[in-house]
Amino acid sequence: MPIHSSFGPTRKACTRCRLHKRKCDRVHPSCSLCSRLGQAGLCTYEEPAAYPSPPEPAEGEALGYPPIHEALTSLDIKTQIISGLSDTDPWKIITIYFENIHPWFSIFPQPTLSGQHLATWDTVSVDFALLCYTIVFLDRAPQQLEGASTLHSTHRLMYLMSKKWIALLEGAGSNSIDLVRARLIITLFEISHGFFIAAYLSIANVVRSADALVVFRQQRTPSSLAEQDVDEYRIVWCGTAILDRYIATENGKWPPLTRGRPFPLDSAIANPLNFQEQPSTAFSRLFEASILLDNIHTTLHQPTPQVSFNIEEVTTIVRTLTSFETVVTQETPEKSKLFSSCLILSSTALLLAFENGSKAGCEGVPICSVFQATAALNNLIDDIVKQGAELSKGDLVTDESPIPPFAIFLVYKAALITIGMVQNGVQSERNLQRLSALRNTLTVTAQRWLIGEHYLNSLDEDTAPRILKALRS
């Protein structure tokens, strides 16, 4: 059957015009030249070759995937997850979590697990199995290849498979606290290894999935929040807010999604910043630090027209941060500050505040305030350099004290500020030594979290060639 219509131009010249190399207007059924020469009956066109359409694949055979009803079966997904965990039992994975992740990001308490039977995979839900799977690949360190750190192909595949299973369970209408936790762990992995866009998108999905537990609770759907899970939900929501605020700070001026959101489900914590009145857990301290970090982020990126008011607001937040650090330092066992997530976030907030305050030239800013902020900035950078030097003495892959990935942004930001000082000719020799030490800390942290390697590359792009040459000489 011809694919062109019976009238109008066709795509190729007629056979006679092509034979005699004449200009053909390609009118169908006979061109104008053949008609004028009385050869309309001999004017023909070659039909284009017909390409056969590929046969439709049978159900379940398209692209090698299983049938859609089978792929969405929770039991099938659980089987795939467990097969990827080899012979590791649930208790071993939970032990890994409490040793290597819980100290810096505790998204569920140990008593939660005491009532669960975790001897075999047969007794756990698909949601909990997926949570265990995400813990395993977050805990796995990058491989060392020709002197550089990189994700092993299996490591990357585990991450991608977890995203696939999350999507399949979501498509099947599943949602639970364990699935929200799994999403949080995946977002932590993306933060830790420099998947910036993925983390920025994932945190939005975490916020919505956490919201859905409460939104659909009123409709009494199977995937809503049970009454006995309310306390656990509050912890998960706090973890979501912490990551949301950190990602917003790391990525620039845009506000976090949870900004202005009330604490969920009528919590008894009316004022979580009453840290001088009552003792608190490390995780609640981390939540308080994230609030202060967001306060600084708001003040710096959404200032009021009144400069004096902005200065007063930043000064108040800095005083609160200083008091907060004093209290937390007293509560924290003797160890490096870079191993305490709440101190890392509070130091990040102070670094941003001091950097902003040290910039002269703003109308209405007293020169004495600039000097004070510059002095405080230098002292804080010296402290970060000192802590980084202590960190560089150990092996981050085998050390018992896990380093939070949040620390790497703090080191990177300190290095970026130091580059600006060197380029402006401020104490060049001293700041070159600082910069060299901070870069070394990023190199060491890249053994554990690849975000260190990404930040090193960013520093190279922001550093003038003469400075790079001085660092390498």
Side-chain angles (χ1 to χ4, degrees):
M1 177 180 177
I3 62 170
H4 49 67
S5 62
S6 299
F7 300 95
T10 186
R11 297 181 62 183
K12 288 186 178 182
C14 71
T15 53
R16 293 193 62 81
C17 288
R18 288 173 62 190
L19 178 63
H20 296 287
K21 298 182 180 180
R22 302 182 306 206
K23 187 173 181 180
C24 180
D25 60 7
R26 298 174 293 174
V27 172
H28 205 82
S30 60
C31 71
S32 301
L33 185 58
C34 288
S35 298
R36 192 167 65 249
L37 295 175
Q39 298 173 345
L42 301 175
C43 184
T44 58
Y45 292 92
E46 291 182 358
E47 298 292 346
Y51 295 96
S53 301
E56 290 291 330
E59 182 184 5
E61 295 179 357
L63 302 178
Y65 295 131
I68 191 66
H69 65 275
E70 185 178 318
L72 290 176
T73 302
S74 296
L75 179 60
D76 180 68
I77 296 174
K78 178 182 173 181
T79 302
Q80 294 180 43
I81 294 172
I82 295 173
S83 66
L85 294 174
S86 302
D87 298 326
T88 307
D89 62 78
W91 267 121
K92 184 175 180 180
I93 294 175
I94 294 305
T95 301
I96 290 172
Y97 164 78
F98 279 107
E99 289 179 351
N100 299 336
I101 302 172
H102 187 80
W104 54 271
F105 197 74
S106 49
I107 53 173
F108 56 87
Q110 195 158 6
T112 301
L113 302 173
S114 60
Q116 300 194 40
H117 303 288
L118 301 175
T120 66
W121 290 111
D122 296 336
T123 56
V124 304
S125 66
V126 62
D127 303 351
F128 189 80
L130 180 54
L131 173 60
C132 290
Y133 190 87
T134 60
I135 290 171
V136 168
F137 72 74
L138 176 62
D139 181 65
R140 182 172 295 181
Q143 65 173 349
Q144 300 301 309
L145 190 63
E146 298 180 355
S149 300
T150 183
L151 288 182
H152 191 278
S153 57
T154 304
H155 198 177
R156 187 180 295 272
L157 180 62
M158 291 181 72
Y159 159 67
L160 294 175
M161 289 301 296
S162 68
K163 300 273 280 190
K164 168 191 170 183
W165 289 324
I166 284 281
L168 289 173
L169 291 170
E170 179 184 299
S174 297
N175 195 27
S176 67
I177 288 182
D178 282 338
L179 276 181
V180 178
R181 288 177 178 134
R183 290 177 184 269
L184 275 172
I185 295 291
I186 291 171
T187 307
L188 272 176
F189 177 87
E190 293 164 342
I191 290 171
S192 305
H193 294 296
F195 297 2
F196 296 106
I197 296 177
Y200 201 82
L201 298 174
S202 291
I203 192 61
N205 291 327
V206 176
V207 172
R208 280 305 189 191
S209 61
D211 283 347
L213 291 173
V214 176
V215 170
F216 294 100
R217 183 189 189 202
Q218 300 172 350
Q219 302 178 18
R220 302 184 182 277
T221 59
S223 294
S224 61
L225 188 67
E227 192 67 35
Q228 63 270 22
D229 295 333
V230 169
D231 288 337
E232 289 187 42
Y233 174 78
R234 292 192 182 107
I235 295 174
V236 170
W237 189 90
C238 285
T240 302
I242 291 166
L243 281 193
D244 186 30
R245 292 161 183 164
Y246 172 79
I247 289 173
T249 302
E250 187 181 37
N251 285 282
K253 66 178 182 179
W254 299 107
L257 299 174
T258 53
R259 178 176 292 173
R261 295 278 297 272
F263 204 84
L265 300 177
D266 302 320
S267 170
I269 305 180
N271 181 9
L273 288 176
N274 272 339
F275 49 81
Q276 292 178 318
E277 297 181 7
Q278 55 185 3
S280 183
T281 65
F283 191 66
S284 64
R285 290 294 189 223
L286 178 58
F287 181 70
E288 291 163 358
S290 73
I291 294 175
L292 293 169
L293 178 63
D294 187 44
N295 289 345
I296 285 291
H297 187 271
T298 303
T299 305
L300 297 184
H301 294 290
Q302 297 178 1
T304 69
Q306 300 297 323
V307 176
S308 58
F309 177 82
N310 297 332
I311 295 173
E312 183 179 351
E313 188 172 14
V314 172
T315 302
T316 301
I317 299 173
V318 167
R319 287 172 181 164
T320 306
L321 280 163
T322 304
S323 300
F324 175 80
E325 284 203 342
T326 300
V327 173
V328 173
T329 301
Q330 294 172 353
E331 295 176 348
T332 306
E334 287 297 325
K335 62 179 180 179
S336 173
K337 287 184 179 180
L338 287 179
F339 291 105
S340 171
S341 291
C342 59
L343 286 175
I344 291 167
L345 292 194
S346 64
S347 294
T348 302
L350 286 171
L351 189 69
L352 296 174
F354 294 152
E355 178 198 18
N356 183 75
S358 66
K359 296 176 181 177
C362 295
E363 184 180 352
V365 179
I367 194 67
C368 60
S369 298
V370 175
F371 286 150
Q372 290 173 354
T374 301
L377 179 63
N378 279 303
N379 290 336
L380 181 54
I381 292 177
D382 283 338
D383 188 46
I384 295 170
V385 169
K386 180 182 177 181
Q387 296 296 329
E390 291 296 320
L391 183 67
S392 301
K393 294 178 181 178
D395 185 349
L396 295 185
V397 178
T398 59
D399 277 357
E400 292 183 1
S401 298
I403 180 169
F406 311 127
I408 305 175
F409 175 69
L410 175 62
V411 174
Y412 164 72
K413 189 64 180 177
L416 199 59
I417 294 171
T418 305
I419 289 174
M421 294 179 179
V422 176
Q423 292 176 339
N424 292 329
V426 179
Q427 297 181 334
S428 298
E429 189 62 33
R430 176 192 180 193
N431 282 312
L432 276 174
Q433 293 175 356
R434 281 173 165 177
L435 183 56
S436 178
L438 292 168
R439 287 177 62 93
N440 184 59
T441 301
L442 290 175
T443 301
V444 172
T445 57
Q447 300 173 16
R448 185 62 189 88
W449 307 116
L450 287 182
I451 186 65
E453 188 75 28
H454 286 271
Y455 280 143
L456 269 175
N457 294 334
S458 295
L459 287 179
D460 287 344
E461 295 174 2
D462 294 326
T463 306
R466 62 178 179 84
I467 299 176
L468 285 175
K469 184 178 180 180
L471 288 170
R472 293 164 181 168
S473 60

